[in-house]
Amino acid sequence: MASSGTNPWEVLRPVADAPARTRGRALQEALREAIRAGRLAPGTRLPSSRDLAADLGVSRGLVTEAYEQLTAESYLRSGRGAGTWVGDAVRAAAPRARDRAPRTRDARADFVPGSPDLSLFPRAAWAAAQRAVLAELPHRDLGYPDPRGLPRLRTALAALLTRRRGVAADPERLVVVSGVAQALALLGGALHARGIREVGVEDPGSPPHAELYAAAGLDVVPLPLDGEGLALGPLRRARVRTVVTTPAHQFPTGIAYAPRRRAELLEWARAVDGFVLEDDYDGDFRYDRDPVGALQGLDPERVVYTGSVSKSLAPGLRLGWLLLPEALAEDVTERKRTADLGHPALDQALFARFVEQGDYDRHLRRCGRAYRERRDALVSSLADHFPGTEVSGIAAGLHVIATLPERYGPEGRFLERVARAGVAVRGLEEYQHARGDDDPGLAPSASSTRARVRSDVRPRLVLGYAHLTPGRIRTGVALMARAAGE
Amino acid sequence: MASSGTNPWEVLRPVADAPARTRGRALQEALREAIRAGRLAPGTRLPSSRDLAADLGVSRGLVTEAYEQLTAESYLRSGRGAGTWVGDAVRAAAPRARDRAPRTRDARADFVPGSPDLSLFPRAAWAAAQRAVLAELPHRDLGYPDPRGLPRLRTALAALLTRRRGVAADPERLVVVSGVAQALALLGGALHARGIREVGVEDPGSPPHAELYAAAGLDVVPLPLDGEGLALGPLRRARVRTVVTTPAHQFPTGIAYAPRRRAELLEWARAVDGFVLEDDYDGDFRYDRDPVGALQGLDPERVVYTGSVSKSLAPGLRLGWLLLPEALAEDVTERKRTADLGHPALDQALFARFVEQGDYDRHLRRCGRAYRERRDALVSSLADHFPGTEVSGIAAGLHVIATLPERYGPEGRFLERVARAGVAVRGLEEYQHARGDDDPGLAPSASSTRARVRSDVRPRLVLGYAHLTPGRIRTGVALMARAAGE
């Protein structure tokens, strides 16, 4: 076999340079790759093992073994004593799927809410917990987990949520999930199985959640808010039996549900024999008074409570929890089992230890101090650069609503200008659910936030601040002011 | 307020002993707890803040604050200047769900397959990778992950799978999942969306997987095997367009699909415009020759490839992968996104590093040596204690099939006897799918394994050995022999 540029066996040449120990494997891989890539076409006859061995300077046994192995894998075919050919069983892969455009990260200032400050992630304490857990975890806990979660974590979480959030937390009713998205997906499936086909959602609210319900076969019915929470009239007229709410700090308006509305919402749920889902997405952060206890504590059989570490530690951990009424606990557990057999055990043990040792409380206190300072920087910057601005939803969470004076409006034009200046910021309107105005039961009432948003010429900005240092906040607000004044 | 045994405020007494710093919070929690537990009934009037403060020996401001907070949470109601009562918004939680019976773990010997040896988990190398990853991970990687998985892990996995398993692995077609269960759930949903309502499965096979398909709305059609893999005639008659297979080491029979059958299966998939799912559940372990390359490498557009670390490292890690044809890649990615937004980022970075540094290969070699020794111990013990036994499926994986001589049969009686002796072991029949014999397209052919299993009086045992030391294997086989001879 002569060595020439057009010799198809040339592609096997590098095999000779592989260390003797791995040469056989290298030959097999080179042959597979050449066949898959089409460089060795189906029907091509291979050299005899003796010739190829001589050509590559390897032992003949190594070539024979490669031919046998690839014949077993259908890459090659062998006739009885009649040589070896490239088989026709192999098809090349189609070109790769188009890459998605990555989210732009080059804004000069980014007020889009949703992320905590990832640089505050407690790496040292987390590393210590990792080390301790790996040293102490019994072997059997590396096996298939309880689909509800490790008992140790459910116990620690129940104590944590009872203490911090005032929920009625029974470890037997807790399911450890990979975040609120999974909580909604599992719950959506369980509701669908009970014949529920629609869920009411807050409007404005968190539009991505609607996709999660759609995946479970549920339609969402956007429901307007008033100053105290979900407006009751539209809720009753909508004839839904389940609503999703953010009572501690409504997303995105930032209002806390009024005590009266909390009680009324539970009365409604009992009357329609339905459920209220309480998404306690940022209930851990409240600055100027104690946190308002969770709605769930008032009626654990009507409220499904869910939360996660996405705002308190990091979304990348994908760890959350779901606290269920008796009526849903078993079905949701089964759905968690068929979805993924349960959450990673080491992660669960790690977070259990993190909570047990008080590390989680320490981290929340540290973040709370930092975020309060950032909120104050944002509020004072807004007062300096946009005098007359009303800021609401400031008592809790990781974002505020800033209603600018009329001279900055309308909202669309304001947002265009600041976007051109490189500031990423969202208006409240972007969080409204798209729906027809002819929706019969749901015509926005004069008192609803929705109606006010629509008719208002004052721009309303949803400003996330937790992920920004006070310095970047001040720079960002100044940039916005400059852009708005041009 | 006098202190007496029947004084309902007595439950608040421990508050006085709390450190001054946490006393306010302790009072609020004690009040909530008493109301939730029904010890303070709805309508109960609370003492004035002055009286309760004096009684507990705390400041009046602290009591006022507690009353205000619990009023905001609807635990209490306040009339205008008319005092404070326990509200009626609170309902107690129903009794907890019945605990499920835990799986018994007290067998004297346990040959049930499915688990690797968890005591071989490479804790030291894992801890080192954890430490390194936490030190090096950019902050942004703690944010919401790419639902397909971290690019770093997909790149490492593609190289690993190409090298070890001969797959055609494009990182853009890989989706990191939480294991084969999630892979099946996601894929089941994507197939359902394409109008596929039935999937063929190997019979005998892995019955729990049928539940996962059922959860996605798919019916399973059990298909018999012959000595070369899925029998083609019944497959064609069944009119399914998708089959799930374990070609490297069929579960549970242990056969490796013949080269010819592999090619025929792909021809079938092209002819029906369907898919073959390749569940490579234990393809990493092959003892007496090189691993047979994955079916996927032969036609990446017809084969969906899935695997996990459940047999190679530990099921509790809940980490796996799915390699998809172009036609399914986007839909499955979307389903992963709505299922849980993606796999935990730290776990992904950790495993990427573990693979990149060669730790995974080292671990597989170490386990491979241990498992080969265990397999040899099992085969020789069976030869000693059950002379005449045929052992098959020994070349790979973590279990074998032992066909005992006729004198030990029938299978049911044998299994009863050894169970009474405290040996956990399963017969091949337990892995057969339940179905009616009048199923038209699927009457078992004379050559099918199923037919042979049914008519055979020789017990066929599915013996997992990987999780047992050679000593425990020998003891277990001896125990079985004693029980069978009694």
Side-chain angles (χ1 to χ4, degrees):
Chain A
M1 196 168 94
S3 171
S4 92
T6 58
N7 180 343
W9 316 113
E10 194 64 19
V11 297
L12 305 178
R13 181 79 45 200
V15 166
D17 302 329
R21 202 169 50 78
T22 64
R23 208 171 282 156
R25 192 175 284 270
L27 175 59
Q28 294 178 22
E29 194 38 53
L31 273 169
R32 276 195 207 95
E33 184 50 37
I35 295 168
R36 275 206 299 263
R39 287 193 297 274
L40 295 180
T44 306
R45 182 161 179 171
L46 276 83
S48 73
S49 54
R50 184 192 307 267
D51 285 353
L52 187 58
D55 196 51
L56 296 176
V58 301
S59 78
R60 186 177 170 191
L62 193 138
V63 177
T64 312
E65 199 184 324
Y67 282 10
E68 283 174 10
Q69 176 69 20
L70 270 77
T71 302
E73 296 173 10
S74 300
Y75 284 89
L76 301 178
R77 306 184 270 124
S78 303
R80 294 173 194 282
T84 304
W85 295 268
V86 176
D88 52 9
V90 177
R91 301 285 169 103
R96 64 174 55 183
R98 277 186 303 280
D99 293 357
R100 305 211 174 177
R103 187 183 164 181
T104 56
R105 294 196 179 272
D106 52 0
R108 294 171 70 191
D110 181 352
F111 288 103
V112 176
S115 180
D117 186 342
L118 300 174
S119 74
L120 294 179
F121 186 79
R123 295 194 185 220
W126 201 257
Q130 275 184 336
R131 204 163 45 237
V133 158
L134 205 49
E136 81 197 6
L137 195 76
H139 292 320
R140 66 168 183 281
D141 281 0
L142 290 166
Y144 288 100
D146 182 330
R148 293 175 300 177
L150 290 189
R152 176 181 175 183
L153 177 56
R154 287 187 284 118
T155 303
L157 273 177
L160 176 82
L161 296 173
T162 301
R163 176 166 54 78
R164 289 195 71 96
R165 304 296 301 123
V167 303
D170 178 345
E172 300 299 314
R173 297 278 194 83
L174 266 169
V175 177
V176 176
V177 295
S178 75
V180 171
Q182 185 174 61
L184 293 181
L186 299 175
L187 188 67
L191 293 172
H192 193 272
R194 292 169 73 91
I196 291 177
R197 294 290 180 272
E198 290 183 322
V199 287
V201 298
E202 296 169 330
D203 186 14
S206 188
H209 288 185
E211 288 178 39
L212 303 176
Y213 287 107
L218 297 176
D219 290 326
V220 300
V221 178
L223 296 169
L225 304 166
D226 59 27
E228 303 201 324
L230 265 181
L232 285 174
L235 169 62
R236 294 197 182 106
R237 286 194 295 278
R239 295 172 183 267
V240 295
R241 282 176 52 210
T242 301
V243 289
V244 187
T245 61
T246 48
H249 186 236
Q250 200 274 332
F251 189 86
T253 66
I255 61 167
Y257 275 42
R260 189 180 61 178
R261 188 59 50 83
R262 293 156 65 94
E264 287 164 342
L265 199 56
L266 295 175
E267 276 164 32
W268 166 85
R270 290 172 207 131
V272 301
D273 190 19
F275 299 103
V276 177
L277 174 65
E278 177 174 27
D279 178 2
D280 199 23
Y281 70 104
D282 67 0
D284 278 312
F285 299 111
R286 191 153 183 111
Y287 309 111
D288 306 314
R289 55 170 299 180
D290 282 345
V292 175
L295 195 61
Q296 191 270 359
L298 299 175
D299 194 345
E301 298 308 326
R302 291 292 168 195
V303 180
V304 181
Y305 176 88
T306 184
S308 78
V309 300
S310 293
K311 302 287 183 284
S312 58
L313 280 163
L317 295 180
R318 308 305 314 126
L319 180 67
W321 42 87
L322 192 50
L323 187 48
L324 294 154
E326 169 81 17
L328 297 169
E330 195 161 330
D331 189 18
V332 169
T333 300
E334 271 313 289
R335 285 169 194 278
K336 173 65 179 167
R337 200 176 65 75
T338 54
D340 58 19
L341 302 187
H343 200 77
L346 276 172
D347 296 359
Q348 292 191 62
L350 197 168
F351 187 58
R353 189 186 159 91
F354 199 74
V355 170
E356 289 160 2
Q357 302 282 313
D359 289 322
Y360 191 56
D361 286 297
R362 268 188 290 281
H363 174 69
L364 289 173
R365 279 198 297 276
R366 183 169 162 237
C367 290
R369 283 192 299 271
Y371 296 163
R372 182 202 299 253
E373 190 191 348
R374 291 163 192 206
R375 179 203 62 170
D376 293 346
L378 176 60
V379 171
S380 75
S381 290
L382 288 168
D384 290 348
H385 291 283
F386 294 94
T389 291
E390 287 164 27
V391 187
S392 56
I394 65 170
L398 312 180
H399 74 278
V400 298
I401 301 287
T403 305
L404 306 186
E406 201 170 322
R407 64 181 177 280
Y408 294 103
E411 187 172 305
R413 204 182 58 164
F414 178 87
L415 292 173
E416 268 169 38
R417 284 186 170 185
V418 299
R420 275 202 300 273
V423 181
V425 60
R426 295 205 177 147
L428 187 57
E429 269 189 55
E430 296 181 57
Y431 293 92
Q432 291 189 276
H433 293 268
R435 65 179 159 91
D437 274 354
D438 54 348
D439 197 337
L442 299 169
S445 71
S447 68
S448 77
T449 301
R450 177 179 180 78
R452 274 184 283 130
V453 172
R454 284 231 167 144
S455 62
D456 210 320
V457 292
R458 301 173 63 177
R460 290 180 169 228
L461 310 181
V462 182
L463 300 170
Y465 54 79
H467 57 298
L468 301 169
T469 59
R472 292 184 75 89
I473 289 170
R474 286 189 207 101
T475 314
V477 173
L479 266 172
M480 274 201 289
R482 207 173 309 140
E486 276 165 1
Chain B
M1 195 168 98
S3 171
S4 92
T6 57
N7 181 343
W9 316 112
E10 194 65 18
V11 297
L12 305 178
R13 180 80 44 201
V15 167
D17 302 329
R21 205 168 48 79
T22 63
R23 207 171 283 157
R25 191 175 286 271
L27 174 60
Q28 294 178 22
E29 195 37 56
L31 273 169
R32 275 194 207 94
E33 184 48 38
I35 295 169
R36 274 206 300 264
R39 287 193 296 276
L40 295 181
T44 305
R45 182 162 180 170
L46 276 83
S48 73
S49 53
R50 184 194 307 268
D51 283 353
L52 187 58
D55 196 51
L56 296 176
V58 301
S59 78
R60 186 174 169 193
L62 194 140
V63 176
T64 312
E65 199 185 323
Y67 283 9
E68 282 174 11
Q69 176 69 20
L70 270 76
T71 302
E73 297 173 8
S74 299
Y75 284 90
L76 301 179
R77 310 185 266 123
S78 302
R80 295 175 194 278
T84 304
W85 295 268
V86 176
D88 52 9
V90 178
R91 300 285 169 102
R96 63 175 53 183
R98 276 187 302 281
D99 293 356
R100 305 212 173 173
R103 186 184 164 181
T104 55
R105 295 198 179 270
D106 52 359
R108 294 172 70 190
D110 181 353
F111 288 102
V112 176
S115 181
D117 187 342
L118 299 174
S119 74
L120 294 179
F121 186 80
R123 295 193 184 220
W126 201 256
Q130 274 184 337
R131 204 165 43 238
V133 158
L134 205 49
E136 80 197 6
L137 196 76
H139 292 320
R140 66 168 183 279
D141 282 0
L142 290 166
Y144 288 100
D146 182 330
R148 293 175 300 177
L150 291 189
R152 176 181 175 183
L153 177 57
R154 286 185 285 120
T155 304
L157 272 177
L160 176 83
L161 296 173
T162 300
R163 176 166 53 80
R164 290 196 69 97
R165 305 294 302 123
V167 302
D170 177 345
E172 300 299 314
R173 298 278 194 83
L174 266 169
V175 177
V176 176
V177 294
S178 75
V180 172
Q182 185 175 59
L184 294 180
L186 298 175
L187 188 68
L191 293 172
H192 193 271
R194 291 170 74 91
I196 291 176
R197 295 289 180 271
E198 290 182 322
V199 287
V201 298
E202 296 169 330
D203 186 14
S206 187
H209 288 184
E211 286 178 42
L212 302 176
Y213 287 106
L218 297 175
D219 291 327
V220 299
V221 178
L223 296 169
L225 304 166
D226 59 27
E228 303 201 324
L230 265 181
L232 287 173
L235 169 62
R236 293 196 182 107
R237 286 194 296 276
R239 293 171 185 268
V240 294
R241 282 176 52 211
T242 300
V243 289
V244 187
T245 62
T246 49
H249 186 237
Q250 201 274 332
F251 188 85
T253 65
I255 62 167
Y257 275 43
R260 190 179 61 177
R261 187 58 50 82
R262 294 156 64 93
E264 287 164 341
L265 199 55
L266 295 175
E267 277 163 32
W268 166 85
R270 289 173 207 131
V272 300
D273 189 19
F275 300 103
V276 178
L277 174 65
E278 176 173 29
D279 178 2
D280 199 24
Y281 70 104
D282 67 0
D284 278 312
F285 297 111
R286 191 152 183 113
Y287 308 111
D288 305 314
R289 57 170 296 182
D290 281 345
V292 175
L295 195 61
Q296 192 270 359
L298 299 175
D299 194 344
E301 298 308 326
R302 291 292 168 195
V303 180
V304 180
Y305 176 87
T306 184
S308 78
V309 301
S310 293
K311 302 288 183 283
S312 57
L313 278 164
L317 295 180
R318 308 307 313 127
L319 181 67
W321 42 85
L322 191 52
L323 187 49
L324 294 154
E326 170 81 16
L328 296 169
E330 196 161 328
D331 189 18
V332 169
T333 300
E334 272 311 290
R335 285 170 194 278
K336 173 65 178 168
R337 201 175 65 76
T338 53
D340 57 19
L341 301 187
H343 200 76
L346 276 172
D347 296 359
Q348 292 190 62
L350 197 168
F351 187 57
R353 189 186 160 92
F354 199 75
V355 170
E356 289 160 2
Q357 302 282 314
D359 289 322
Y360 191 55
D361 287 296
R362 269 188 290 280
H363 174 67
L364 289 172
R365 280 197 298 276
R366 182 170 163 235
C367 289
R369 284 193 298 271
Y371 295 162
R372 181 201 300 254
E373 189 192 349
R374 292 165 192 204
R375 179 203 64 170
D376 293 345
L378 177 59
V379 171
S380 75
S381 290
L382 287 167
D384 291 347
H385 289 284
F386 294 95
T389 291
E390 288 165 25
V391 187
S392 57
I394 66 170
L398 312 180
H399 74 277
V400 297
I401 301 287
T403 306
L404 305 187
E406 201 169 323
R407 64 181 177 281
Y408 294 104
E411 187 171 305
R413 204 181 57 164
F414 179 86
L415 292 173
E416 268 168 38
R417 283 185 172 186
V418 300
R420 276 201 300 272
V423 181
V425 60
R426 294 207 178 147
L428 188 57
E429 268 189 55
E430 296 180 57
Y431 293 92
Q432 292 189 276
H433 292 267
R435 64 178 160 94
D437 273 353
D438 54 348
D439 198 338
L442 300 168
S445 72
S447 68
S448 77
T449 301
R450 177 177 180 79
R452 275 186 282 129
V453 172
R454 285 236 167 141
S455 62
D456 209 322
V457 293
R458 300 174 63 177
R460 290 180 168 228
L461 311 181
V462 182
L463 299 171
Y465 55 79
H467 58 297
L468 300 169
T469 59
R472 290 184 75 90
I473 289 170
R474 287 189 207 100
T475 314
V477 173
L479 266 172
M480 274 201 290
R482 206 173 311 139
E486 276 165 3

